[in-house]
PDB file of all heavy atoms in Angstrom:
ATOM      1  N   PRO A   1      67.186-208.913-134.534  1.00  0.00           N
ATOM      2  CA  PRO A   1      67.414-208.130-133.318  1.00  0.00           C
ATOM      3  C   PRO A   1      66.513-206.897-133.270  1.00  0.00           C
ATOM      4  O   PRO A   1      65.988-206.469-134.299  1.00  0.00           O
ATOM      5  CB  PRO A   1      68.888-207.740-133.436  1.00  0.00           C
ATOM      6  CG  PRO A   1      69.155-207.698-134.901  1.00  0.00           C
ATOM      7  CD  PRO A   1      68.295-208.776-135.498  1.00  0.00           C
ATOM      8  N   LYS A   2      66.356-206.341-132.085  1.00  0.00           N
ATOM      9  CA  LYS A   2      65.515-205.146-131.917  1.00  0.00           C
ATOM     10  C   LYS A   2      66.342-203.915-132.294  1.00  0.00           C
ATOM     11  O   LYS A   2      67.385-203.678-131.708  1.00  0.00           O
ATOM     12  CB  LYS A   2      65.029-205.059-130.464  1.00  0.00           C
ATOM     13  CG  LYS A   2      64.143-206.252-130.076  1.00  0.00           C
ATOM     14  CD  LYS A   2      63.715-206.191-128.629  1.00  0.00           C
ATOM     15  CE  LYS A   2      63.072-207.494-128.159  1.00  0.00           C
ATOM     16  NZ  LYS A   2      61.739-207.726-128.676  1.00  0.00           N
ATOM     17  N   ASP A   3      65.860-203.166-133.277  1.00  0.00           N
ATOM     18  CA  ASP A   3      66.594-201.952-133.654  1.00  0.00           C
ATOM     19  C   ASP A   3      65.755-200.717-133.388  1.00  0.00           C
ATOM     20  O   ASP A   3      64.542-200.795-133.194  1.00  0.00           O
ATOM     21  CB  ASP A   3      67.094-202.022-135.107  1.00  0.00           C
ATOM     22  CG  ASP A   3      65.993-201.795-136.117  1.00  0.00           C
ATOM     23  OD1 ASP A   3      65.407-200.690-136.135  1.00  0.00           O
ATOM     24  OD2 ASP A   3      65.709-202.719-136.912  1.00  0.00           O
ATOM     25  N   GLU A   4      66.434-199.568-133.368  1.00  0.00           N
ATOM     26  CA  GLU A   4      65.830-198.323-132.887  1.00  0.00           C
ATOM     27  C   GLU A   4      64.710-197.793-133.787  1.00  0.00           C
ATOM     28  O   GLU A   4      63.957-196.910-133.376  1.00  0.00           O
ATOM     29  CB  GLU A   4      66.920-197.263-132.718  1.00  0.00           C
ATOM     30  CG  GLU A   4      67.957-197.607-131.661  1.00  0.00           C
ATOM     31  CD  GLU A   4      69.121-198.459-132.154  1.00  0.00           C
ATOM     32  OE1 GLU A   4      69.044-198.997-133.284  1.00  0.00           O
ATOM     33  OE2 GLU A   4      70.109-198.587-131.418  1.00  0.00           O
ATOM     34  N   SER A   5      64.581-198.346-135.004  1.00  0.00           N
ATOM     35  CA  SER A   5      63.508-197.888-135.892  1.00  0.00           C
ATOM     36  C   SER A   5      62.177-198.571-135.577  1.00  0.00           C
ATOM     37  O   SER A   5      61.125-198.165-136.077  1.00  0.00           O
ATOM     38  CB  SER A   5      63.882-198.157-137.360  1.00  0.00           C
ATOM     39  OG  SER A   5      63.918-199.553-137.593  1.00  0.00           O
ATOM     40  N   MET A   6      62.206-199.605-134.734  1.00  0.00           N
ATOM     41  CA  MET A   6      60.976-200.332-134.397  1.00  0.00           C
ATOM     42  C   MET A   6      60.086-199.493-133.483  1.00  0.00           C
ATOM     43  O   MET A   6      60.574-198.730-132.665  1.00  0.00           O
ATOM     44  CB  MET A   6      61.325-201.656-133.703  1.00  0.00           C
ATOM     45  CG  MET A   6      62.057-202.627-134.602  1.00  0.00           C
ATOM     46  SD  MET A   6      62.817-204.017-133.707  1.00  0.00           S
ATOM     47  CE  MET A   6      61.360-204.887-133.173  1.00  0.00           C
ATOM     48  N   THR A   7      58.782-199.671-133.637  1.00  0.00           N
ATOM     49  CA  THR A   7      57.836-198.956-132.781  1.00  0.00           C
ATOM     50  C   THR A   7      57.810-199.609-131.404  1.00  0.00           C
ATOM     51  O   THR A   7      57.523-200.803-131.292  1.00  0.00           O
ATOM     52  CB  THR A   7      56.419-198.993-133.373  1.00  0.00           C
ATOM     53  OG1 THR A   7      56.457-198.428-134.678  1.00  0.00           O
ATOM     54  CG2 THR A   7      55.440-198.210-132.506  1.00  0.00           C
ATOM     55  N   PRO A   8      58.120-198.857-130.342  1.00  0.00           N
ATOM     56  CA  PRO A   8      58.096-199.447-128.996  1.00  0.00           C
ATOM     57  C   PRO A   8      56.675-199.869-128.601  1.00  0.00           C
ATOM     58  O   PRO A   8      55.698-199.179-128.914  1.00  0.00           O
ATOM     59  CB  PRO A   8      58.591-198.309-128.099  1.00  0.00           C
ATOM     60  CG  PRO A   8      59.312-197.365-129.015  1.00  0.00           C
ATOM     61  CD  PRO A   8      58.590-197.467-130.320  1.00  0.00           C
ATOM     62  N   THR A   9      56.573-201.003-127.928  1.00  0.00           N
ATOM     63  CA  THR A   9      55.279-201.466-127.409  1.00  0.00           C
ATOM     64  C   THR A   9      55.488-201.948-125.965  1.00  0.00           C
ATOM     65  O   THR A   9      55.490-203.143-125.687  1.00  0.00           O
ATOM     66  CB  THR A   9      54.710-202.628-128.254  1.00  0.00           C
ATOM     67  OG1 THR A   9      55.724-203.641-128.385  1.00  0.00           O
ATOM     68  CG2 THR A   9      54.283-202.161-129.633  1.00  0.00           C
ATOM     69  N   PRO A  10      55.683-201.007-125.039  1.00  0.00           N
ATOM     70  CA  PRO A  10      55.990-201.397-123.659  1.00  0.00           C
ATOM     71  C   PRO A  10      54.878-202.246-123.047  1.00  0.00           C
ATOM     72  O   PRO A  10      53.699-202.023-123.307  1.00  0.00           O
ATOM     73  CB  PRO A  10      56.140-200.064-122.933  1.00  0.00           C
ATOM     74  CG  PRO A  10      55.573-199.023-123.840  1.00  0.00           C
ATOM     75  CD  PRO A  10      55.636-199.551-125.223  1.00  0.00           C
ATOM     76  N   MET A  11      55.289-203.222-122.229  1.00  0.00           N
ATOM     77  CA  MET A  11      54.346-204.164-121.619  1.00  0.00           C
ATOM     78  C   MET A  11      54.233-204.012-120.109  1.00  0.00           C
ATOM     79  O   MET A  11      53.529-204.787-119.461  1.00  0.00           O
ATOM     80  CB  MET A  11      54.787-205.599-121.933  1.00  0.00           C
ATOM     81  CG  MET A  11      54.670-205.976-123.390  1.00  0.00           C
ATOM     82  SD  MET A  11      55.441-207.597-123.703  1.00  0.00           S
ATOM     83  CE  MET A  11      54.518-208.671-122.606  1.00  0.00           C
ATOM     84  N   SER A  12      54.961-203.059-119.531  1.00  0.00           N
ATOM     85  CA  SER A  12      54.918-202.884-118.077  1.00  0.00           C
ATOM     86  C   SER A  12      54.970-201.390-117.766  1.00  0.00           C
ATOM     87  O   SER A  12      55.451-200.595-118.580  1.00  0.00           O
ATOM     88  CB  SER A  12      56.118-203.582-117.425  1.00  0.00           C
ATOM     89  OG  SER A  12      57.324-202.945-117.833  1.00  0.00           O
ATOM     90  N   PRO A  13      54.502-200.992-116.576  1.00  0.00           N
ATOM     91  CA  PRO A  13      54.637-199.589-116.183  1.00  0.00           C
ATOM     92  C   PRO A  13      56.089-199.116-116.234  1.00  0.00           C
ATOM     93  O   PRO A  13      56.367-197.993-116.650  1.00  0.00           O
ATOM     94  CB  PRO A  13      54.081-199.561-114.758  1.00  0.00           C
ATOM     95  CG  PRO A  13      53.091-200.684-114.734  1.00  0.00           C
ATOM     96  CD  PRO A  13      53.694-201.761-115.593  1.00  0.00           C
ATOM     97  N   TYR A  14      57.031-199.969-115.822  1.00  0.00           N
ATOM     98  CA  TYR A  14      58.454-199.594-115.872  1.00  0.00           C
ATOM     99  C   TYR A  14      58.852-199.213-117.294  1.00  0.00           C
ATOM    100  O   TYR A  14      59.500-198.181-117.528  1.00  0.00           O
ATOM    101  CB  TYR A  14      59.319-200.748-115.371  1.00  0.00           C
ATOM    102  CG  TYR A  14      60.810-200.496-115.547  1.00  0.00           C
ATOM    103  CD1 TYR A  14      61.481-199.586-114.729  1.00  0.00           C
ATOM    104  CD2 TYR A  14      61.534-201.157-116.535  1.00  0.00           C
ATOM    105  CE1 TYR A  14      62.836-199.347-114.897  1.00  0.00           C
ATOM    106  CE2 TYR A  14      62.893-200.921-116.706  1.00  0.00           C
ATOM    107  CZ  TYR A  14      63.539-200.020-115.894  1.00  0.00           C
ATOM    108  OH  TYR A  14      64.882-199.774-116.076  1.00  0.00           O
ATOM    109  N   ALA A  15      58.489-200.048-118.251  1.00  0.00           N
ATOM    110  CA  ALA A  15      58.841-199.780-119.650  1.00  0.00           C
ATOM    111  C   ALA A  15      58.197-198.481-120.142  1.00  0.00           C
ATOM    112  O   ALA A  15      58.825-197.705-120.871  1.00  0.00           O
ATOM    113  CB  ALA A  15      58.416-200.957-120.524  1.00  0.00           C
ATOM    114  N   VAL A  16      56.973-198.228-119.720  1.00  0.00           N
ATOM    115  CA  VAL A  16      56.302-196.977-120.092  1.00  0.00           C
ATOM    116  C   VAL A  16      57.063-195.774-119.531  1.00  0.00           C
ATOM    117  O   VAL A  16      57.257-194.770-120.215  1.00  0.00           O
ATOM    118  CB  VAL A  16      54.836-196.966-119.595  1.00  0.00           C
ATOM    119  CG1 VAL A  16      54.212-195.583-119.773  1.00  0.00           C
ATOM    120  CG2 VAL A  16      54.011-198.003-120.357  1.00  0.00           C
ATOM    121  N   THR A  17      57.535-195.890-118.290  1.00  0.00           N
ATOM    122  CA  THR A  17      58.254-194.755-117.687  1.00  0.00           C
ATOM    123  C   THR A  17      59.558-194.473-118.432  1.00  0.00           C
ATOM    124  O   THR A  17      59.931-193.315-118.620  1.00  0.00           O
ATOM    125  CB  THR A  17      58.584-194.993-116.193  1.00  0.00           C
ATOM    126  OG1 THR A  17      59.548-196.041-116.037  1.00  0.00           O
ATOM    127  CG2 THR A  17      57.337-195.297-115.383  1.00  0.00           C
ATOM    128  N   LYS A  18      60.241-195.531-118.864  1.00  0.00           N
ATOM    129  CA  LYS A  18      61.503-195.338-119.582  1.00  0.00           C
ATOM    130  C   LYS A  18      61.265-194.731-120.958  1.00  0.00           C
ATOM    131  O   LYS A  18      62.017-193.843-121.400  1.00  0.00           O
ATOM    132  CB  LYS A  18      62.263-196.669-119.697  1.00  0.00           C
ATOM    133  CG  LYS A  18      62.930-197.087-118.391  1.00  0.00           C
ATOM    134  CD  LYS A  18      63.955-196.042-117.965  1.00  0.00           C
ATOM    135  CE  LYS A  18      64.716-196.384-116.716  1.00  0.00           C
ATOM    136  NZ  LYS A  18      65.630-195.299-116.315  1.00  0.00           N
ATOM    137  N   LEU A  19      60.215-195.164-121.627  1.00  0.00           N
ATOM    138  CA  LEU A  19      59.893-194.601-122.938  1.00  0.00           C
ATOM    139  C   LEU A  19      59.478-193.131-122.804  1.00  0.00           C
ATOM    140  O   LEU A  19      59.856-192.281-123.624  1.00  0.00           O
ATOM    141  CB  LEU A  19      58.776-195.410-123.599  1.00  0.00           C
ATOM    142  CG  LEU A  19      58.417-195.007-125.027  1.00  0.00           C
ATOM    143  CD1 LEU A  19      59.615-195.117-125.963  1.00  0.00           C
ATOM    144  CD2 LEU A  19      57.251-195.845-125.541  1.00  0.00           C
ATOM    145  N   THR A  20      58.735-192.822-121.746  1.00  0.00           N
ATOM    146  CA  THR A  20      58.341-191.425-121.493  1.00  0.00           C
ATOM    147  C   THR A  20      59.575-190.559-121.251  1.00  0.00           C
ATOM    148  O   THR A  20      59.682-189.443-121.777  1.00  0.00           O
ATOM    149  CB  THR A  20      57.390-191.352-120.284  1.00  0.00           C
ATOM    150  OG1 THR A  20      56.288-192.227-120.507  1.00  0.00           O
ATOM    151  CG2 THR A  20      56.884-189.937-120.067  1.00  0.00           C
ATOM    152  N   GLY A  21      60.517-191.064-120.478  1.00  0.00           N
ATOM    153  CA  GLY A  21      61.783-190.353-120.258  1.00  0.00           C
ATOM    154  C   GLY A  21      62.510-190.079-121.563  1.00  0.00           C
ATOM    155  O   GLY A  21      63.046-188.988-121.780  1.00  0.00           O
ATOM    156  N   GLU A  22      62.528-191.063-122.447  1.00  0.00           N
ATOM    157  CA  GLU A  22      63.169-190.880-123.762  1.00  0.00           C
ATOM    158  C   GLU A  22      62.501-189.742-124.540  1.00  0.00           C
ATOM    159  O   GLU A  22      63.179-188.918-125.165  1.00  0.00           O
ATOM    160  CB  GLU A  22      63.049-192.163-124.593  1.00  0.00           C
ATOM    161  CG  GLU A  22      63.924-193.298-124.144  1.00  0.00           C
ATOM    162  CD  GLU A  22      63.848-194.479-125.111  1.00  0.00           C
ATOM    163  OE1 GLU A  22      63.246-194.319-126.211  1.00  0.00           O
ATOM    164  OE2 GLU A  22      64.380-195.548-124.771  1.00  0.00           O
ATOM    165  N   HIS A  23      61.165-189.730-124.522  1.00  0.00           N
ATOM    166  CA  HIS A  23      60.438-188.661-125.239  1.00  0.00           C
ATOM    167  C   HIS A  23      60.785-187.287-124.663  1.00  0.00           C
ATOM    168  O   HIS A  23      61.003-186.324-125.407  1.00  0.00           O
ATOM    169  CB  HIS A  23      58.928-188.903-125.167  1.00  0.00           C
ATOM    170  CG  HIS A  23      58.448-190.011-126.042  1.00  0.00           C
ATOM    171  ND1 HIS A  23      58.860-190.170-127.346  1.00  0.00           N
ATOM    172  CD2 HIS A  23      57.567-191.018-125.805  1.00  0.00           C
ATOM    173  CE1 HIS A  23      58.257-191.226-127.874  1.00  0.00           C
ATOM    174  NE2 HIS A  23      57.473-191.757-126.954  1.00  0.00           N
ATOM    175  N   TYR A  24      60.839-187.207-123.330  1.00  0.00           N
ATOM    176  CA  TYR A  24      61.215-185.929-122.711  1.00  0.00           C
ATOM    177  C   TYR A  24      62.634-185.511-123.100  1.00  0.00           C
ATOM    178  O   TYR A  24      62.899-184.338-123.374  1.00  0.00           O
ATOM    179  CB  TYR A  24      61.085-186.007-121.188  1.00  0.00           C
ATOM    180  CG  TYR A  24      59.720-185.616-120.673  1.00  0.00           C
ATOM    181  CD1 TYR A  24      58.979-186.466-119.855  1.00  0.00           C
ATOM    182  CD2 TYR A  24      59.166-184.371-121.009  1.00  0.00           C
ATOM    183  CE1 TYR A  24      57.730-186.104-119.392  1.00  0.00           C
ATOM    184  CE2 TYR A  24      57.916-184.005-120.554  1.00  0.00           C
ATOM    185  CZ  TYR A  24      57.198-184.873-119.746  1.00  0.00           C
ATOM    186  OH  TYR A  24      55.953-184.505-119.288  1.00  0.00           O
ATOM    187  N   MET A  25      63.544-186.467-123.148  1.00  0.00           N
ATOM    188  CA  MET A  25      64.920-186.158-123.550  1.00  0.00           C
ATOM    189  C   MET A  25      64.949-185.587-124.973  1.00  0.00           C
ATOM    190  O   MET A  25      65.624-184.595-125.252  1.00  0.00           O
ATOM    191  CB  MET A  25      65.775-187.430-123.491  1.00  0.00           C
ATOM    192  CG  MET A  25      65.973-187.978-122.094  1.00  0.00           C
ATOM    193  SD  MET A  25      67.252-187.122-121.161  1.00  0.00           S
ATOM    194  CE  MET A  25      68.694-187.818-121.906  1.00  0.00           C
ATOM    195  N   ARG A  26      64.207-186.222-125.874  1.00  0.00           N
ATOM    196  CA  ARG A  26      64.174-185.762-127.269  1.00  0.00           C
ATOM    197  C   ARG A  26      63.551-184.373-127.380  1.00  0.00           C
ATOM    198  O   ARG A  26      64.060-183.497-128.084  1.00  0.00           O
ATOM    199  CB  ARG A  26      63.389-186.773-128.111  1.00  0.00           C
ATOM    200  CG  ARG A  26      63.269-186.412-129.583  1.00  0.00           C
ATOM    201  CD  ARG A  26      62.516-187.482-130.358  1.00  0.00           C
ATOM    202  NE  ARG A  26      61.286-187.897-129.701  1.00  0.00           N
ATOM    203  CZ  ARG A  26      60.146-187.188-129.712  1.00  0.00           C
ATOM    204  NH1 ARG A  26      60.082-186.011-130.346  1.00  0.00           N
ATOM    205  NH2 ARG A  26      59.066-187.634-129.092  1.00  0.00           N
ATOM    206  N   VAL A  27      62.448-184.159-126.646  1.00  0.00           N
ATOM    207  CA  VAL A  27      61.753-182.864-126.701  1.00  0.00           C
ATOM    208  C   VAL A  27      62.649-181.748-126.146  1.00  0.00           C
ATOM    209  O   VAL A  27      62.696-180.643-126.715  1.00  0.00           O
ATOM    210  CB  VAL A  27      60.413-182.949-125.932  1.00  0.00           C
ATOM    211  CG1 VAL A  27      59.844-181.564-125.660  1.00  0.00           C
ATOM    212  CG2 VAL A  27      59.417-183.779-126.739  1.00  0.00           C
ATOM    213  N   PHE A  28      63.371-182.016-125.061  1.00  0.00           N
ATOM    214  CA  PHE A  28      64.261-180.991-124.503  1.00  0.00           C
ATOM    215  C   PHE A  28      65.419-180.699-125.456  1.00  0.00           C
ATOM    216  O   PHE A  28      65.908-179.567-125.520  1.00  0.00           O
ATOM    217  CB  PHE A  28      64.766-181.404-123.116  1.00  0.00           C
ATOM    218  CG  PHE A  28      63.891-180.906-122.001  1.00  0.00           C
ATOM    219  CD1 PHE A  28      62.625-181.449-121.799  1.00  0.00           C
ATOM    220  CD2 PHE A  28      64.310-179.888-121.156  1.00  0.00           C
ATOM    221  CE1 PHE A  28      61.796-180.990-120.781  1.00  0.00           C
ATOM    222  CE2 PHE A  28      63.494-179.410-120.128  1.00  0.00           C
ATOM    223  CZ  PHE A  28      62.224-179.970-119.946  1.00  0.00           C
ATOM    224  N   ALA A  29      65.857-181.698-126.199  1.00  0.00           N
ATOM    225  CA  ALA A  29      66.895-181.468-127.210  1.00  0.00           C
ATOM    226  C   ALA A  29      66.358-180.560-128.316  1.00  0.00           C
ATOM    227  O   ALA A  29      67.024-179.609-128.744  1.00  0.00           O
ATOM    228  CB  ALA A  29      67.372-182.793-127.795  1.00  0.00           C
ATOM    229  N   GLN A  30      65.128-180.843-128.771  1.00  0.00           N
ATOM    230  CA  GLN A  30      64.543-180.066-129.865  1.00  0.00           C
ATOM    231  C   GLN A  30      64.168-178.646-129.440  1.00  0.00           C
ATOM    232  O   GLN A  30      64.440-177.685-130.152  1.00  0.00           O
ATOM    233  CB  GLN A  30      63.297-180.794-130.404  1.00  0.00           C
ATOM    234  CG  GLN A  30      63.636-182.077-131.157  1.00  0.00           C
ATOM    235  CD  GLN A  30      62.393-182.885-131.509  1.00  0.00           C
ATOM    236  OE1 GLN A  30      61.310-182.650-130.971  1.00  0.00           O
ATOM    237  NE2 GLN A  30      62.559-183.867-132.380  1.00  0.00           N
ATOM    238  N   LEU A  31      63.557-178.530-128.255  1.00  0.00           N
ATOM    239  CA  LEU A  31      63.059-177.218-127.818  1.00  0.00           C
ATOM    240  C   LEU A  31      64.156-176.305-127.277  1.00  0.00           C
ATOM    241  O   LEU A  31      64.154-175.105-127.522  1.00  0.00           O
ATOM    242  CB  LEU A  31      61.997-177.399-126.729  1.00  0.00           C
ATOM    243  CG  LEU A  31      60.620-177.890-127.138  1.00  0.00           C
ATOM    244  CD1 LEU A  31      59.736-178.013-125.914  1.00  0.00           C
ATOM    245  CD2 LEU A  31      59.982-176.957-128.164  1.00  0.00           C
ATOM    246  N   TYR A  32      65.077-176.898-126.526  1.00  0.00           N
ATOM    247  CA  TYR A  32      66.017-176.081-125.754  1.00  0.00           C
ATOM    248  C   TYR A  32      67.474-176.268-126.164  1.00  0.00           C
ATOM    249  O   TYR A  32      68.358-175.608-125.601  1.00  0.00           O
ATOM    250  CB  TYR A  32      65.869-176.390-124.257  1.00  0.00           C
ATOM    251  CG  TYR A  32      64.450-176.268-123.746  1.00  0.00           C
ATOM    252  CD1 TYR A  32      63.793-177.375-123.219  1.00  0.00           C
ATOM    253  CD2 TYR A  32      63.761-175.054-123.786  1.00  0.00           C
ATOM    254  CE1 TYR A  32      62.488-177.284-122.742  1.00  0.00           C
ATOM    255  CE2 TYR A  32      62.458-174.960-123.321  1.00  0.00           C
ATOM    256  CZ  TYR A  32      61.825-176.072-122.800  1.00  0.00           C
ATOM    257  OH  TYR A  32      60.540-175.974-122.338  1.00  0.00           O
ATOM    258  N   GLY A  33      67.727-177.173-127.103  1.00  0.00           N
ATOM    259  CA  GLY A  33      69.090-177.337-127.597  1.00  0.00           C
ATOM    260  C   GLY A  33      70.039-178.066-126.652  1.00  0.00           C
ATOM    261  O   GLY A  33      71.252-178.037-126.850  1.00  0.00           O
ATOM    262  N   ILE A  34      69.503-178.728-125.611  1.00  0.00           N
ATOM    263  CA  ILE A  34      70.372-179.548-124.758  1.00  0.00           C
ATOM    264  C   ILE A  34      70.774-180.788-125.552  1.00  0.00           C
ATOM    265  O   ILE A  34      69.945-181.395-126.234  1.00  0.00           O
ATOM    266  CB  ILE A  34      69.651-179.980-123.464  1.00  0.00           C
ATOM    267  CG1 ILE A  34      69.200-178.760-122.657  1.00  0.00           C
ATOM    268  CG2 ILE A  34      70.548-180.857-122.588  1.00  0.00           C
ATOM    269  CD1 ILE A  34      68.407-179.116-121.407  1.00  0.00           C
ATOM    270  N   GLU A  35      72.039-181.177-125.472  1.00  0.00           N
ATOM    271  CA  GLU A  35      72.484-182.399-126.144  1.00  0.00           C
ATOM    272  C   GLU A  35      72.079-183.590-125.285  1.00  0.00           C
ATOM    273  O   GLU A  35      72.562-183.751-124.163  1.00  0.00           O
ATOM    274  CB  GLU A  35      74.010-182.369-126.322  1.00  0.00           C
ATOM    275  CG  GLU A  35      74.471-181.220-127.210  1.00  0.00           C
ATOM    276  CD  GLU A  35      75.978-181.051-127.176  1.00  0.00           C
ATOM    277  OE1 GLU A  35      76.619-181.523-126.220  1.00  0.00           O
ATOM    278  OE2 GLU A  35      76.506-180.450-128.123  1.00  0.00           O
ATOM    279  N   THR A  36      71.145-184.402-125.780  1.00  0.00           N
ATOM    280  CA  THR A  36      70.662-185.529-124.985  1.00  0.00           C
ATOM    281  C   THR A  36      70.778-186.843-125.747  1.00  0.00           C
ATOM    282  O   THR A  36      70.758-186.875-126.980  1.00  0.00           O
ATOM    283  CB  THR A  36      69.185-185.348-124.553  1.00  0.00           C
ATOM    284  OG1 THR A  36      68.343-185.462-125.697  1.00  0.00           O
ATOM    285  CG2 THR A  36      68.965-184.001-123.870  1.00  0.00           C
ATOM    286  N   LEU A  37      70.896-187.901-124.972  1.00  0.00           N
ATOM    287  CA  LEU A  37      70.953-189.253-125.525  1.00  0.00           C
ATOM    288  C   LEU A  37      70.338-190.208-124.513  1.00  0.00           C
ATOM    289  O   LEU A  37      70.622-190.113-123.314  1.00  0.00           O
ATOM    290  CB  LEU A  37      72.412-189.664-125.783  1.00  0.00           C
ATOM    291  CG  LEU A  37      72.626-191.072-126.348  1.00  0.00           C
ATOM    292  CD1 LEU A  37      72.225-191.131-127.823  1.00  0.00           C
ATOM    293  CD2 LEU A  37      74.087-191.507-126.195  1.00  0.00           C
TER     294      LEU A  37
END
């Protein structure tokens, strides 16, 4: 099964946008202390 430790390899613009959103969520958690998931 696909687990969260795997390196994402998006194959569509949609997948890229979702992965970018995830990165922004993580960065806002680290920089600003917002609890994100």
Side-chain angles (χ1 to χ4, degrees):
K2 297 178 191 287
D3 76 63
E4 296 86 348
S5 67
M6 295 166 68
T7 302
T9 51
M11 292 172 59
S12 65
Y14 173 73
V16 171
T17 68
K18 284 299 182 183
L19 185 59
T20 305
E22 287 186 9
H23 286 315
Y24 270 125
M25 294 280 283
R26 180 178 47 77
V27 165
F28 269 71
Q30 290 172 345
L31 286 179
Y32 307 118
I34 301 177
E35 297 170 339
T36 70
L37 179 74

